[in-house]
Amino acid sequence: MLNSEKTMFALNDVRDDHIESARSMLGYKTEKGRRHLGKKRIVTFALAAALILGLGATAYAIGVHSGFFHNAFGTGVPGHEAKSFDVIDPEGNVITVEHYPAEERVDMEEERAEELIGTYVSAVGQSVKLGDYTFTVRDVTVDENGNGAVTVDIDNPRGHGLTPEGGFIGDVVPEPWFGYSIQGSKGTLISSHDHAVAEGYSETHISFVYSITPAQPLASDEDIILRFGLYSRDNSQEESEITIPAVERVPAVGYTVDGLTVWISPVGMKLCFNDAYNDGKYEEYLVQELVISFSNGSRYVVKSSDMVNYMSAVLDSEDRGVLQITFNRLVDVDNIQEISLQVIHNSANGETEAAYTIS
């Protein structure tokens, strides 16, 4: 089982360089001293009225998806202060993360959450049994970018060996231990990060939110395969899977300006740096800050030097200029006042600081 406290990105068959590149684009690189920045580029473009999803005066049932909203995109998964911790890589090496920014989770008012994505939350209700473990997939939502979340219950009458935060009790790995991976039915690679749900925890029951963040374009008719496994030190393993049928996707609206296209939905965002290749040479974009401001004066700091408010992020394996981000809260797209993005652009011509503003 991946430790949600000690893992920044779950690998799940996504190549390491794509995970590391996404980490780099979000600023998780070894500091190389003070950067000398060249020309500063500022781009502003309008947030069109098309962002409004045309919700109208439809009445929505309250309470139908309250648990899903609270756990997948709210405070059912606790936030944390800035901290340092160790990450164990696939080769078993221990890597110390000296400063991991704080995460803050926020619950959206339930009626508004229903208006935004209630139609797009699908009950799965399928279970598989491996050994003493029972894995039950509860609910799922996915947007048109392929970003989303799925809730999973895990039960073991003999005990699952995990803390309420999803770490191993006493740092002792139980045997057998369990793991999971997610991919599309057409072979699409999907990165995921597991988030332990605090409520309802017991020694025999624990719930998780698994983020869905594609490393390749996820087709609109593509099912999602959630694979569970039990593994032992003698290399024996037992696996089974649950197929989540393709569901209607949460709408996302896109805007393009000066080499950048942004697609945003209530559950995630796709950043497409369209000029990421220049004469066959990859140009690197390091996201320094990403902030969404709303008409009521509130702000959602998705990424800054002090905050990391997203569930997972991955660089598209087919286009190294595409960064997918799955939010850790629901975004009221109808009331966005401004989206600001600050990046460092590394190219053959040196480094420049680019600031984009959607207002």
Side-chain angles (χ1 to χ4, degrees):
M1 180 62 209
L2 291 170
N3 186 332
S4 61
E5 280 195 324
K6 298 181 178 180
T7 305
M8 296 170 68
F9 298 100
L11 298 183
N12 292 344
D13 299 325
V14 180
R15 279 172 38 195
D16 291 352
D17 58 334
H18 301 141
I19 301 296
E20 291 302 324
S21 296
R23 193 185 314 233
S24 296
M25 288 183 73
L26 287 163
Y28 298 107
K29 294 191 71 175
T30 302
E31 291 296 331
K32 297 180 180 179
R34 185 177 180 84
R35 293 178 177 270
H36 176 72
L37 298 179
K39 178 182 177 183
K40 185 173 182 179
R41 182 161 57 98
I42 301 177
V43 180
T44 303
F45 59 105
L47 188 66
L51 189 60
I52 298 176
L53 300 180
L55 297 172
T58 305
Y60 295 87
I62 306 304
V64 177
H65 303 116
S66 57
F68 180 77
F69 297 148
H70 179 59
N71 293 332
F73 296 101
T75 57
V77 173
H80 59 77
E81 301 296 327
K83 58 186 178 181
S84 62
F85 55 86
D86 292 335
V87 175
I88 301 176
D89 69 13
E91 286 73 41
N93 301 312
V94 177
I95 301 172
T96 299
V97 178
E98 296 293 346
H99 174 75
Y100 190 67
E103 179 185 7
E104 180 183 39
R105 282 185 164 246
V106 176
D107 287 303
M108 177 176 282
E109 192 274 327
E110 189 177 334
E111 182 175 4
R112 185 58 182 151
E114 283 288 348
E115 291 175 350
L116 286 170
I117 71 166
T119 304
Y120 307 99
V121 178
S122 298
V124 181
Q126 298 184 46
S127 298
V128 295
K129 186 173 176 59
L130 292 174
D132 293 322
Y133 286 92
T134 300
F135 303 90
T136 303
V137 178
R138 293 297 181 190
D139 299 287
V140 65
T141 192
V142 182
D143 71 9
E144 291 178 341
N145 295 325
N147 296 315
V150 58
T151 51
V152 176
D153 291 341
I154 299 171
D155 295 278
N156 185 336
R158 296 179 179 274
H160 48 65
L162 300 178
T163 67
E165 297 77 27
F168 297 121
I169 295 176
D171 287 330
V172 176
V173 179
E175 189 168 355
W177 62 90
F178 68 87
Y180 79 102
S181 65
I182 304 177
Q183 71 175 60
S185 59
K186 298 181 180 181
T188 298
L189 300 177
I190 295 175
S191 177
S192 181
H193 187 182
D194 59 292
H195 304 259
V197 176
E199 299 171 9
Y201 169 88
S202 71
E203 292 182 357
T204 61
H205 174 87
I206 189 170
S207 297
F208 280 94
V209 176
Y210 295 158
S211 58
I212 299 171
T213 313
Q216 296 171 323
L218 186 68
S220 60
D221 62 346
E222 188 168 4
D223 300 337
I224 293 174
I225 298 174
L226 185 49
R227 184 174 294 110
F228 299 98
L230 290 185
Y231 309 97
S232 300
R233 291 179 178 84
D234 61 4
N235 293 323
S236 63
Q237 62 183 53
E238 184 180 358
E239 294 183 335
S240 187
E241 63 186 40
I242 289 176
T243 297
I244 303 173
V247 296
E248 186 177 3
R249 305 283 171 82
V250 181
V253 179
Y255 302 91
T256 300
V257 61
D258 195 27
L260 171 69
T261 299
V262 177
W263 293 88
I264 185 169
S265 83
V267 302
M269 172 183 284
K270 179 165 68 173
L271 302 173
C272 306
F273 294 94
N274 300 325
D275 59 354
Y277 284 98
N278 182 16
D279 296 327
K281 295 182 179 180
Y282 173 56
E283 299 187 7
E284 183 180 51
Y285 293 83
L286 304 179
V287 177
Q288 302 298 292
E289 185 173 278
L290 176 58
V291 179
I292 303 173
S293 301
F294 300 94
S295 55
N296 64 1
S298 64
R299 300 167 74 243
Y300 172 23
V301 180
V302 182
K303 163 69 173 66
S304 73
S305 60
D306 298 318
M307 301 293 293
V308 52
N309 287 323
Y310 54 86
M311 288 199 283
S312 58
V314 69
L315 201 65
D316 193 306
S317 65
E318 295 183 357
D319 181 352
R320 293 180 63 89
V322 177
L323 179 66
Q324 292 269 23
I325 301 172
T326 300
F327 297 147
N328 71 350
R329 67 190 69 179
L330 292 176
V331 169
D332 192 339
V333 293
D334 292 348
N335 291 300
I336 293 176
Q337 186 175 60
E338 181 179 279
I339 300 173
S340 61
L341 173 68
Q342 295 182 17
V343 302
I344 291 177
H345 175 203
N346 293 324
S347 69
N349 298 321
E351 292 183 344
T352 58
E353 184 181 31
Y356 300 88
T357 302
I358 308 170
S359 59

